Amino acid sequence: MQPNEHLKKIMKILIFAFLCTEMRTSYTHRDGTTKQRGIESPNGNRRQSRAPFQASIRLRSLEVDYYGKGHICSGALVASSVVLTMGNCLYNNASKSFYHPAELLVQLGSRQRFAPTAQSQVYGVTHVYHPPKSLSLAILMLDQDVPADQSDIQPIALASTAPLGSQLLLSSWGLTTGDEHHDDHDHRELHEMLNVAVDCNINQYCKPSYETKKYLSYELDAGAPLVGKDNRLLGLFSSTLSSDSSWTFVDVASHVDWIQSKIGDGSTQNSSWWGILGLLVFTGYVIKCSRKSFL
């Protein structure tokens, strides 16, 4: 094979690979209209989500079995193509490594975990920013920007203060524990998202408000968003203390500078330019190596 023909073949392969990465599969960013047409309120009007920023992080491989099986944790949409979640949520204990972005999906726009709605959208993940050792949150970059006219899917602004105060709002899926109709050891997966009023003290230890205290025994999702009265994202759920069953949250305020340094304007265009630059550098490297092989 002549050098020019060799270079042409390499260029065709690289162009084909680039075009493949830009194509959207039928599974990614699909409308959730295959099983039901929406959630209706008693008066017949479509109910709008109380947490339009809520994200369900899922494993692509498990979603093949049935919708919702791949759910591993919650998160929050904070820009048109940016979702925050807990860093440890993305760690695969079996392989002792983090999940590759191609293994992940993000559902937005629905309170339902196991049933898609007319408003729900599923997005792919192009890459993940894992937190440095001093931080705990991870950043997922979506493969497309969420349309600004989606009333059921809206990003939430980041808070500049730590979780503190009463009647803060937590939204989560997770597991229930036993109640009067079930055995105490019976754990059932929540099909619909919870909205729980939460009180947090100065140490950022939180508990459900009096009227929602029944949820204290629930196992919440890692990454469940906690929102303040000003409708800003205060933190993401981390764990439950064994001593008094208090809920702990990782405050977003301590991550703001790092988040903004990574996401730019928060759109896919920001990450696409880095991808194109990387592709050009790789192409130059391949051409350089090819020329050396024919000297």
Side-chain angles (χ1 to χ4, degrees):
M1 184 182 292
Q2 297 298 319
N4 287 339
E5 294 178 0
H6 184 68
L7 291 175
K8 287 180 180 178
K9 184 176 180 181
I10 292 174
M11 290 302 298
K12 287 179 180 179
I13 293 173
L14 291 173
I15 292 172
F16 177 74
F18 177 72
L19 291 176
C20 285
T21 61
E22 292 299 308
M23 293 174 64
R24 308 305 183 195
T25 66
S26 60
Y27 192 87
T28 303
H29 192 203
R30 68 182 183 183
D31 288 324
T33 57
T34 56
K35 294 186 179 179
Q36 68 182 71
R37 291 293 179 181
I39 306 172
E40 301 295 327
S41 64
N43 60 9
N45 298 322
R46 182 172 59 83
R47 182 177 63 195
Q48 185 173 346
S49 171
R50 285 188 67 187
F53 48 83
Q54 185 85 14
S56 169
I57 318 299
R58 304 181 173 202
L59 292 180
R60 186 186 294 268
S61 59
L62 295 182
E63 283 293 284
V64 174
D65 293 339
Y66 60 84
Y67 193 91
K69 182 180 179 180
H71 176 86
I72 53 175
C73 57
S74 291
L77 181 74
V78 297
S80 59
S81 67
V82 182
V83 170
L84 294 183
T85 190
M86 291 296 299
N88 57 12
C89 170
L90 307 179
Y91 187 76
N92 186 345
N93 289 311
S95 64
K96 303 299 182 184
S97 62
F98 288 99
Y99 292 112
H100 189 276
E103 297 180 84
L104 302 171
L105 294 170
V106 175
Q107 178 198 260
L108 297 166
S110 177
R111 296 176 61 87
Q112 302 292 316
R113 172 180 165 182
F114 293 104
T117 68
Q119 297 76 44
S120 60
Q121 299 284 340
V122 180
Y123 293 82
V125 177
T126 57
H127 59 275
V128 177
Y129 292 113
H130 294 288
K133 290 184 178 180
S134 59
L135 302 176
S136 305
L137 302 184
I139 302 171
L140 305 180
M141 300 298 295
L142 305 183
D143 60 354
Q144 294 188 51
D145 290 338
V146 174
D149 59 354
Q150 292 269 4
S151 61
D152 291 274
I153 308 176
Q154 291 291 320
I156 185 171
L158 303 179
S160 59
T161 57
L164 176 63
S166 60
Q167 297 295 308
L168 309 178
L169 185 64
L170 167 73
S171 51
S172 178
W173 290 283
L175 296 174
T176 69
T177 54
D179 54 28
E180 65 271 18
H181 302 296
H182 297 83
D183 183 81
D184 288 342
H185 299 289
D186 181 29
H187 287 66
R188 292 170 291 117
E189 293 176 317
L190 292 172
H191 289 239
E192 185 160 349
M193 184 172 61
L194 290 174
N195 290 115
V196 183
V198 173
D199 299 333
C200 297
N201 63 27
I202 196 170
N203 295 318
Q204 299 179 33
Y205 295 158
C206 308
K207 287 189 175 183
S209 302
Y210 178 79
E211 58 271 21
T212 56
K213 64 180 181 180
K214 66 178 182 179
Y215 297 121
L216 185 60
S217 60
Y218 281 33
E219 294 184 17
L220 303 179
D221 273 347
L226 181 68
V227 179
K229 294 179 180 179
D230 58 353
N231 202 34
R232 289 178 176 270
L233 182 65
L234 290 169
L236 298 182
F237 177 75
S238 174
S239 61
T240 301
L241 294 178
S242 57
S243 57
D244 63 354
S245 299
S246 293
W247 295 339
T248 63
F249 292 82
V250 173
D251 68 289
V252 169
S254 62
H255 291 69
V256 168
D257 291 341
W258 175 72
I259 292 169
Q260 292 178 342
S261 72
K262 295 297 183 183
I263 69 174
D265 63 1
S267 68
T268 54
Q269 182 179 7
N270 182 66
S271 59
S272 295
W273 280 115
W274 283 107
I276 293 171
L277 180 61
L279 180 65
L280 292 174
V281 171
F282 178 72
T283 302
Y285 173 77
V286 171
I287 293 173
K288 182 178 180 180
C289 293
S290 300
R291 285 177 176 173
K292 287 183 179 180
S293 64
F294 286 99
L295 292 179

